[in-house]
Amino acid sequence: MRAWIGLGANLGDAAASIGRALDAIDSLAATRIERVSSLYRSEPVEAQGPDFFNAVAEVETTLSPAALLERLLAIEAAEGRLRPWRNAPRTLDLDLLLASDATGPLRVDSPSLTLPHPRMHLRAFVLAPLAELDAGLVVPGRGRVADLLAGCAGQRIERVGALPRRAPAGAAR
């Protein structure tokens, strides 16, 4: 399965937290990071606190979407993620955005997971890094990433640069 993961943080050393999360994702069994966007800074959307740092990673995995999400939540917890209220500032936020397999895009609608992510098409902080990886990627039921990003033109977002990583993507483990 190919999956796209949104990474974000706005507490502590957010860029370092995202870098550690990428290392943790790349070290998951049956999962390999294929590509990672640049790091972006964006204003909070429906959230409070300082600016967010965001990125998107494209991974190849044999895990199911539910199993991958379970592991992403464990990585968040290891980085000290608390959920005192909806959209609270966070040390790390990992969202499973999209997934596809040999049959095409996967759709999931369960109490714990919705694919594609139900609000990704409204958020420049997801779409800009995703467009860097694949502007022609189609969000099922919504359209091409590049077109969706154009619809978020009023949201402030800026490319910051490369992400800090301890190990290169796909490194032997």
Side-chain angles (χ1 to χ4, degrees):
M1 173 181 82
R2 176 105 2 181
W4 290 264
I5 300 167
L7 302 97
N10 73 334
L11 293 178
D13 187 343
S17 294
I18 291 171
R20 286 190 301 273
L22 287 167
D23 291 336
I25 291 166
D26 208 29
S27 69
L28 292 174
T31 303
R32 180 181 68 247
I33 291 180
E34 295 291 329
R35 298 186 297 164
V36 179
S37 73
S38 299
L39 185 66
Y40 289 78
R41 179 190 302 248
S42 64
E43 63 187 341
V45 175
E46 299 176 8
Q48 301 172 2
D51 283 356
F52 275 84
F53 286 87
N54 301 96
V56 169
E58 180 181 347
V59 303
E60 185 68 33
T61 184
T62 58
L63 298 172
S64 70
L68 179 57
L69 178 62
E70 179 181 303
R71 284 159 182 84
L72 295 177
L73 293 175
I75 294 168
E76 284 183 353
E79 279 292 321
R81 169 77 189 264
L82 301 175
R83 297 173 189 269
W85 65 87
R86 188 175 194 278
N87 294 330
R90 55 208 73 162
T91 54
L92 184 63
D93 186 27
L94 301 175
D95 288 324
L96 186 51
L97 303 171
L98 296 163
S100 64
D101 63 14
T103 65
L106 300 177
R107 290 186 182 261
V108 177
D109 190 9
S110 74
S112 60
L113 177 63
T114 302
L115 286 177
H117 188 286
R119 293 171 302 285
M120 67 178 283
H121 66 286
L122 303 171
R123 297 176 169 171
F125 67 81
V126 170
L127 296 169
L130 189 56
E132 180 183 326
L133 297 180
D134 187 349
L137 186 65
V138 174
V139 178
R142 300 294 181 185
R144 288 183 44 231
V145 168
D147 298 330
L148 296 170
L149 180 57
C152 296
Q155 297 175 26
R156 180 178 55 81
I157 185 164
E158 65 179 298
R159 184 179 176 277
V160 176
L163 278 156
R165 299 276 311 275
R166 288 191 304 261
R173 24 189 192 273

